[in-house]
Structure formats: structure tokens, C-alpha cells
Amino acid sequence: MHLNENLLSQTAMALATVLGPHGPADAKLSYYFRENPKLGMKERAFIAETVYQVIRRKRLLEYLSDGTDARRLLLAVLLRVQGVSLRDLGPLLTKQQSEWAHAIKAKSGENLPLSIQADVPDWLWDKLVAQYGEAEALTMARSLHLSAPLDLRINRLNGQREPVLALFAKEGIAATATPYSPDGVRLKEKIALNKHVLFIKGVVEVQDEGSQLIALLLAPRRGEMVADFCAGAGGKTLALGALMHNSGRLYAFDVAQKRLSNLRPRLARSGLSNVHPQLIVNERDQKLKRLAGKFDRVLVDAPCSGLGTLRRNPDLKWRQTEMDIAELALKQTRILDAAAKLVKSGGRLVYATCSLLRDENEAIVDLFLQNHPEFKPLNAAEILSGQQVTLDTGVHLVLLPHLHGTDGFFAAAFERLPASAKPAPIEVIEPIIAELEAIAVAKKPARVPKPKTASKPKVTAKAGTEPEIKPKAIAQPKTTAKAKITPQPKSAVKPKSQPKPKPKAEAEPEVMAEPKALPKPRAVKTAKPAE
């Protein structure tokens, strides 16, 4: 687009607004556009792209411009990233700005520290290097400097992939099938999708290919009772409902009424009628206790740092600290523990994040398996193979932008052992990182042991989670025989837990129809497109 003084000024003001404190970048940029309604579509597109380029390369640009002033950063991104020439830019600049521009253009970018080349904070660079090694960490970080493509998911209820690709080709829209997801379509360029007939009729939904694969990892079947424990705006909920062929019951739980409200128009467009949005106060909500042991499949798309989505939300790397990651890890542990109680014997549990860090991924899984011998890990590659997905990243699903072209995702699948089976000893794949353990003990000494079922036999007996009582009954027969609650184990194990699940599950809609919970927003994921 042809630059002029007004566009340069508007871009600098928008950038200053976005770089200000508090709030995600997309929300602040939207606010700026609302306050300046006279800006045209092409002007808005240029401003948005330039602002996001600054956020992605902020550390390098601060080095080149010797400061954090929005006007200097704008000149740096125009000259050193977009490749605008001084000759074209010069007539639009004041004398002082011209001096800045010449200094920026002349400054060497050779032999910079790797953390500046990666354009991430030092604490994040150290974690990435420790986990992936220096070379791969730098490659990964550079892949996050690029904007993400627009991925779509075909709604199986309303359409198929081949006719959709044919229609896009007819309209001159460059689109290809995603390499892994059987329902995915990738557009080369952004389009006004919300006005397209395929979107209006619910044939396509915006969803990154990696997010689609997580739904396929849960692999819900017709007629099952399924829970999306942290549903958010419902991208994965919609994918799960389609995989269930609009049958069974699919509960979408979340702590934010606004997010659940945003799900409703998407539900209407999709044609799904088996989805039941439910507001909860937190992971300890009373209505969840009444659903213990009722679900065939439970997805925990846990609140996380979102560092795997930096192509879409680059400001997340500047808005978080190492302490935030430690606090998130504690929250993720509690949420996974609570969600596990909903899974029936033989049922499947999937834990997922859009984070790149072991602290939020493997470390949480290892801790869960140590504290929950009633669950066994499943092989993600084998599950996905059964869903016609040819992708093997090992026991866990690990998606990385520079390798798979998706956002960064992690997912682990578990199965609750049948109540009659003796839990086999779980061999933890890797030791829990000392850092998480130390922070957890220092910050919340009373909460870390919470997932350990052995320390709370009475509570788990009341909640009806029999697999947690079963291991103790087998391991300590003499102790349970001597205890005053001798009649409890047998009555809890046989008549209480087995006969009741189905009647309660069918009666649940009436119970859930009158939530008394107050909404508590969860400020975690801020991705611009829908999941």
C-alpha cells in the first residue's frame, strides 16, 4: 500500500495504543479501529499487519531503534522488516524522524545474542533451550515470527472436504487439504469468511489443524456422554459434536458466561443439538460432583500460557513471566485432577494445552500418573491412526509450528482402568522437573498433595469415585477390616458406583438446567481466530 503522512501517523498511534499496558493486543487494536471509523479496509489491514510485525519482532526492533518509542519502532519495522527504502520514506518524515531512520538503517544486525534473534524474553529463551536445544529452539522461535495461515474445519454434518475445495477453486481462492486432519482445509490468504456462504450455512468453521487433531484424539463415538471441561468459545466442542454425529450428550463446561454465550450462535450455525453449555464456578463446582464417574470421554483443554499460538497472538510472550507459568502449572494440576473424577471405568481422558513448555505439558502428565494409578497412559499415535490420521509423535501428541505447520499443541490420553481390575504400577516416563516441584511446595504447600487419592479415602468414597478406593482396599486389607467404616468399601464398590451412573446421567439435564454459579472470567487464551 502507498504510504502517506496520515497513514504513517495513524499506524504510529495504533502501535502506541497496542504497546500500552493491560489487555491483549487484538482487543486494543479493535478498540482503536472503533475509535477511528473513517479508516478504510486497506488502511486497517496495513495498520494491523504492521502493528503485529512490531510485536513479533519487538526485541530486535528495540535494539535497532535504541528505545521503545512507538515512532522509532515503526520506522525500524518499515526499514528493516518490510524493506521500505529511505528514499520513499524520507519525504514523510520530520527532521528528527529522518535522523532516527538513518541511524536505524545503518545499525548492524550481525552477531546478535540468540535471544534477540529469537525475539523472546530471556526467561522463555532459557526454557526453550533447556527443552529443545539451542538450534531447534532458534528454528522454532523464527517460525513463530510468521503469521499463521487460515485453517478451516469441515463440519461433517453439513458438508465434505472435496466439494468445499472445488468451490474455493471455482471462486479463485487458493485452498488445500491439511496434511493431517481429514476434515481440514488451509487457505493461503485471509478472506472475509464471515460473509462466505460456506460459513453462513455452517459447512466450515475456523479451527487450527492442531486443534482438530486433539478432538480426533478424544475420538468420541455415537451415543456417548462426553464433556469438554474447559470449553471456552467452543471450537473443540463443535468438532466433538460433529464426530458424535449429533448424538449422545456433550456438555460444554466453562467458568465464563461470556465465552459460553459466544458459543451459542456457533452452535446454531453448526446444526448441533447434542451440546449442553454449562456454567460452573470452578473445577470444584457441586454440579460436577454429581456427575462423577458418568462420562465416557472427557477433554481437558486446560488454561495455559498459549505460547504455541504466538504466530496469532505474539503479545503473549511479552505479557507473561516465569512465575505465571508456575502458577498455571498448579492450576492445570487441579483442573486435571477434578476432570478425572468425571470419567467412568474404561473411559478416556485427554489433557491438552497450546503451550510449548514441558512445565505445562509432560510435567503435569507425569504428576497425574504418579498420583492416579487408576489411569493408564494411551498411545496417541495409535489412537490417531484409527481416525485415519497418519502422524506419529510418540506416546503424546506434540505439534510444533516449525515441524508440522500448525500451532504448538500438546495432548496426552489416558484410560481409567475397570473397577474390577487391579491397578498396575505406573512407570512414569520422565521424572517431574525439580523446578515445578520446588515452586509448588513453596507457593501452595497444602494444595499440591490434593490429587493424591490415598490421603482422602473418606472424601472419594462420598464422591463415588470407586477406582480411588479400590487400590487402597487391595493394598491394605487388614487396615480396612479393622476400621470402623468396614461396611463402606463393599457397599461403595458394588451397589453404589455401578448401578447408579446411567439413571443419573439421563436425569442430569434437569439438574443442570438451574445453575446458581457466578461467572469468573478466565483470562488465558486470546487467539484472534476461533479455535
Side-chain angles (χ1 to χ4, degrees), residues 3 89 176 185 260 276 296 299 311 322 364 428 438 475 484 489:
L3 278 174
L89 198 58
T176 58
V185 169
L260 292 178
H276 305 274
D296 299 283
L299 171 63
R311 298 182 305 172
E322 190 171 8
I364 304 300
V428 178
K484 292 183 180 180

Side-chain angles (χ1 to χ4, degrees), residues 371-384:
N371 291 318
H372 290 272
E374 70 275 18
F375 281 90
K376 69 175 182 179
L378 300 177
N379 187 292
E382 292 177 1
I383 296 173
L384 291 175

Side-chain angles (χ1 to χ4, degrees), residues 218-219 221 224-225 293-298 340 342-349 374-376 378 414-421 466-467 498:
L218 190 68
R221 295 176 291 198
E224 288 188 328
M225 192 161 172
K294 303 291 197 307
F295 287 88
D296 299 283
R297 315 268 164 151
V298 175
L342 301 179
V343 184
K344 64 168 60 173
S345 294
R348 180 175 298 172
L349 172 67
E374 70 275 18
F375 281 90
K376 69 175 182 179
L378 300 177
F414 315 92
E415 181 180 307
R416 183 186 279 275
L417 296 170
S420 58
E466 65 178 30
Q498 297 293 357

